Amino acid sequence: MSQLSTKHLLGIKDITEADIRLILETAANFKEVINRPIKKVPSLRDITIANIFFENSTRTRLSFELAEKRLSADVVNFSSSNSSVKKGETLVDTVNNILAMKVDMVVMRHASPGAPHFLARNIKANIVNAGDGTHEHPTQALLDAFSMQEKLGDLAGKKVAIIGDILHSRVALSNIFCLQKLGAEVMVCGPITLLPKYIASLGVKVELDVKKALEWCDVANVLRIQLERQQIKYFPSLREYSLYYGINKKMLQALNKEIVIMHPGPINRGVELSSDAADSEHSIILNQVENGVAVRMAVLYLLAGIKG
């Protein structure tokens, strides 16, 4: 298989295992490219990509922009904070106005779950979902899988614990879908108030004790507490959360095996992860950031070959 089964990347739920494996194989080739002295290839020359972000982003936006420029694409950056959206313009009108300027592909982050799916039904360009509310973040799941594979080899049978604020996390859902399609076992762990009611129906194990989760897993993917999405208090204080669910190096050293620590960023140091754990030999957090560029290059390159 040398082509994706879809013209959009809206979510991991919508793509096949073969699509995931093709993206990861292509990303491995691009990782070799970005480590050369000359890091640019002409693969997307004459393709114009619009980065449309309706929510704040640092890593994802920079990573996509760098991936686009490494592929020699023309890049247009759009931020809703200084646009006509503030004057009442609709999402479809905003994007159609951008497409009228002959843009080929749209990378979009939006606060509303399903916004990229809505857009895909209404416009002709390829859409890449860079995060839609608390729904999905497909490229993060792909770069996480790529980073795990790089460290552990084939993920079939590997045990991955996703620890933290599962309820408000788009990373958790995409990771669950991606890891299951690659044959891994998945556990979610966090305070019961931060676990969605339906979560066990996705075929994941549920654990409330972080020490038991660490003893079970090969990889711990630690998520931050998303205070900006929380309308009510889900736990008494950050100090108490850190006391019961924070991971530190002492806990990792007490395990009878080596495990891998991951985090999609930004890290709240001293809350979900202590500095000595985040910067330890267990951590591949900076590898994730590097791999994000290669994975996003792969996604853009593969989608650019699919029109119609």
Side-chain angles (χ1 to χ4, degrees):
M1 180 179 166
S2 59
Q3 188 170 304
L4 295 177
S5 64
T6 173
K7 65 171 281 192
H8 308 293
L9 180 61
L10 304 176
I12 301 294
K13 191 176 183 180
D14 306 312
I15 63 175
T16 65
E17 181 194 341
D19 288 332
I20 293 170
R21 294 196 184 279
L22 176 61
I23 291 167
L24 299 184
E25 285 166 22
T26 309
N29 294 329
F30 280 127
K31 183 161 185 186
E32 188 264 317
V33 168
I34 62 175
N35 282 297
R36 293 178 191 164
I38 298 171
K39 298 172 174 62
K40 212 164 184 178
V41 287
S43 308
L44 295 192
R45 190 179 288 160
D46 300 326
I47 297 284
T48 304
I49 302 173
N51 297 317
I52 304 178
F53 280 66
F54 292 88
E55 275 192 317
N56 293 337
S57 171
T58 305
R59 267 158 306 282
T60 303
R61 186 168 185 161
L62 282 175
S63 184
F64 266 112
E65 194 172 340
L66 202 52
E68 290 151 6
K69 289 179 175 177
R70 294 276 186 258
L71 291 166
S72 304
D74 294 317
V75 180
V76 179
N77 286 313
F78 167 94
S79 171
S80 63
S81 59
N82 50 13
S83 73
S84 293
V85 170
K86 292 287 183 188
K87 302 173 187 174
E89 188 172 62
T90 68
L91 174 61
V92 172
D93 283 341
T94 297
V95 176
N96 275 328
N97 275 288
I98 293 167
L99 294 181
M101 302 172 202
K102 305 305 175 198
V103 168
D104 303 291
M105 197 179 297
V106 172
V107 174
M108 186 175 79
R109 170 168 287 187
H110 202 282
S112 300
H117 300 73
F118 170 75
L119 209 56
R121 290 193 297 270
N122 286 278
I123 68 170
K124 290 182 179 177
N126 305 89
I127 309 290
V128 180
N129 180 6
D132 59 331
T134 56
H135 182 224
E136 279 218 52
H137 192 351
T139 56
Q140 182 67 48
L142 290 164
L143 74 88
D144 286 349
F146 183 84
S147 302
M148 288 180 216
Q149 220 173 58
E150 215 175 35
K151 184 82 176 174
L152 303 173
D154 186 18
L155 296 184
K158 296 291 188 292
K159 296 177 178 179
V160 182
I162 303 172
I163 301 169
D165 186 356
I166 311 296
L167 184 64
H168 300 97
S169 174
R170 51 186 166 222
V171 173
L173 197 56
S174 287
N175 260 276
I176 289 167
F177 292 142
C178 187
L179 291 165
Q180 287 178 335
K181 286 181 181 184
L182 294 173
E185 290 182 62
V186 184
M187 173 185 282
V188 294
C189 174
I192 196 145
T193 52
L194 291 176
L195 297 176
K197 289 178 184 175
Y198 67 84
I199 197 75
S201 68
L202 294 178
V204 300
K205 296 177 188 295
V206 179
E207 179 56 68
L208 302 180
D209 185 330
V210 73
K211 288 181 181 174
K212 288 181 182 174
L214 293 175
E215 284 164 6
W216 176 84
C217 72
D218 300 307
V219 180
N221 198 349
V222 187
L223 308 178
R224 73 183 175 90
I225 297 297
Q226 303 208 20
L227 292 172
E228 73 278 10
R229 296 188 194 281
Q230 297 181 11
Q231 307 303 317
I232 59 172
K233 277 185 94 70
Y234 289 88
F235 48 87
S237 66
L238 285 177
R239 185 173 178 273
E240 185 153 328
Y241 179 87
S242 177
L243 198 63
Y244 285 97
Y245 288 94
I247 296 170
N248 57 48
K249 194 170 182 182
K250 190 177 176 184
M251 291 167 69
L252 299 177
Q253 288 171 335
L255 299 172
N256 58 7
K257 59 177 181 177
E258 286 274 321
I259 68 166
V260 176
I261 293 292
M262 301 176 69
H263 195 300
I267 305 170
N268 290 321
R269 287 175 182 259
V271 181
E272 70 269 10
L273 210 53
S274 67
S275 284
D276 60 2
D279 301 329
S280 70
E281 66 280 4
H282 298 271
S283 168
I284 59 167
I285 294 169
L286 290 178
N287 301 63
Q288 288 173 265
V289 178
E290 181 187 351
N291 291 337
V293 177
V295 166
R296 290 176 175 120
M297 286 173 78
V299 167
L300 297 166
Y301 170 75
L302 290 166
L303 287 178
I306 304 170
K307 299 294 172 194

